[in-house]
């Protein structure tokens, strides 16, 4: 409930405010979004497993985003930015799928 | 956790057994039993330390839930915010591209431009050739029209008008005008550069003949009756001179036949007579 509310608020703010994202940050924004989505789905899964902890959620959210960003930054500095970006996206995508499947199992089998 | 307990129990057992029988065989037997028991012990799995039941929690459950909700809202808002921004600026993708990506893009674009230029060149040359062909056709048409006009005038197929002279020759008072004199007149006019000519109502063309008959002069199968009227289109001065020159055909007509020759120069001579073109039976054009 709160998650959906927060998503709506964020999208509305993003649409109406139209802020200038610094150019340095722009290549990392999609990665950040995907990492945050992964963290959010992980939180949803833990909520269904009745082991949700707000602290764990916040830390996993921030650490996911930071790790993904730093990995891509490292890749850019090493000259394999696009490949590493793909790798991060793939890994996060796999995690998102596994989280979603876990949530689905909780919804349809309980 | 359970291993020391098991060890101690086996040790106690061993001690008791040692007290009971101290011979070598039984000791070895007991040792073997102990080893096999030890071998069956599960190793490699660590005991899982369970977290303390609820951790450290604020005593107020409502406040804790509020904090959680607010945190979730804030983080989800971040996520939605980033998502919306990323949706809204797809145009700045070039800025974020790496150098090699840009190079690749540039080379792709230039290749595309080259192929398009080539295509354009092909199409332009095609257009030019088509235009040239159209021009050529137009030119050919124009020349054909010109030729048609020229040959039409030449062969007597078309009526003509222009500067020229009209020569009136009355009947000879001394003698009938003969064909050779009339033909001489025609030749003189031709020498003077006549372009179109007609005697009475007969168009004079290349195949025109004049002959003597009992009824008078015959020209192209028609009997010419005096007075003769010769219409000629050409340079008026030259034509006039050709007739009136001393000792020429004009004076011959006057002296020999006693005819009255009058040359008038109107502004415009119109020759409406036409000559029916003949069908050629033997002559064929060379392809």
């Amino acid at each position: 409930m709160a998650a959906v509310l927060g998503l709506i608020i964020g999208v509305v703010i993003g649409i109406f405010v139209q802020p200038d994202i610094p150019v340095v940050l722009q290549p990392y924004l999609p990665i950040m979004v995907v990492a945050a989505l992964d963290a959010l789905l992980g939180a949803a899964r833990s909520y269904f497993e009745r082991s949700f902890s707000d602290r764990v959620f916040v830390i996993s959210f921030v650490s996911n985003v930071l790790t993904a960003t730093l990995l891509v930054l490292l890749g850019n500095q090493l000259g394999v930015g696009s490949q590493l970006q793909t790798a991060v996206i793939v890994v996060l995508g796999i995690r998102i799928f596994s989280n979603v499947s876990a949530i689905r199992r909780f919804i349809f089998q309980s | 956790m359970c291993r020391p307990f098991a060890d101690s129990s086996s040790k106690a057992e061993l001690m008791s057994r040692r007290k009971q029988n101290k011979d070598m065989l039984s000791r070895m037997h007991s040792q073997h039993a102990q080893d096999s028991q030890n071998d069956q012990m599960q190793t490699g799995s660590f005991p899982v330390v369970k977290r303390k039941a609820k951790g450290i929690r604020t005593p107020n459950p409502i406040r804790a839930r509020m904090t959680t909700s607010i945190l979730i809202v804030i983080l989800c808002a971040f996520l939605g915010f980033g998502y919306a921004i990323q949706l809204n600026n797809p145009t700045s993708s070039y800025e974020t591209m790496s150098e090699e990506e840009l190079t690749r893009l540039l080379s792709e674009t230039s290749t595309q431009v080259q192929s398009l230029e080539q295509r354009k060149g092909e199409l332009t040359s095609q257009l030019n050739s088509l235009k040239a062909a159209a021009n050529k056709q137009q030119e050919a048409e124009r020349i054909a029209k010109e030729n048609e006009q020229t040959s039409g005038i030449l062969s007597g197929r078309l009526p003509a008008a222009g500067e020229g002279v009209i020569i009136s020759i009355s009947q000879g008072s001394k003698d009938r005008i003969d064909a050779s004199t009339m033909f001489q007149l025609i030749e003189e006019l031709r020498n003077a550069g006549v372009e179109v000519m007609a005697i009475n109502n007969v168009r004079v063309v290349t195949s025109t003949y004049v002959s003597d008959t009992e009824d008078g002069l015959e020209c192209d199968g028609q009997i010419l009756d005096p007075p003769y009227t010769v219409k000629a289109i050409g340079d008026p001065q030259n034509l006039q001179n050709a007739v009136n020159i001393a000792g020429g055909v004009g004076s011959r007509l006057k002296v020999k036949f006693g005819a009255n020759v009058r040359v008038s120069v109107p502004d415009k001579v119109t020759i409406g007579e036409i000559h029916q073109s003949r069908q050629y039976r033997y002559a064929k054009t060379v392809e």
Side-chain angles (χ1 to χ4, degrees), chain B residues 188-260:
Chain B
E188 288 287 346
L189 288 172
R190 275 183 178 154
N191 286 345
V194 72
E195 285 171 1
V196 183
M197 191 163 35
I199 301 173
N200 282 10
N201 51 4
V202 179
R203 179 77 169 262
V204 178
V205 293
T206 49
S207 61
T208 301
Y209 63 91
V210 184
S211 62
D212 288 311
T213 61
E214 290 173 359
D215 300 328
L217 290 175
E218 187 196 323
C219 183
D220 278 1
Q222 289 196 357
I223 299 295
L224 298 177
D225 291 321
Y228 309 110
T229 310
V230 179
K231 291 184 280 186
I233 294 174
D235 182 13
Q237 195 60 46
N238 283 354
L239 295 176
Q240 224 172 339
N241 288 346
V243 175
N244 290 338
I245 193 166
V249 70
S251 58
R252 182 186 164 91
L253 281 167
K254 282 175 195 161
V255 174
K256 190 178 176 186
F257 301 102
N260 189 16

Side-chain angles (χ1 to χ4, degrees), chain B residues 6 25 52 62 79 100 104 118 196 199 223 236 257 266 278:
Chain B
L25 198 68
K52 279 178 188 172
I62 298 168
L79 175 57
E100 51 192 281
R104 188 177 47 76
Q118 198 180 341
V196 183
I199 301 173
I223 299 295
F257 301 102
R278 53 189 277 194

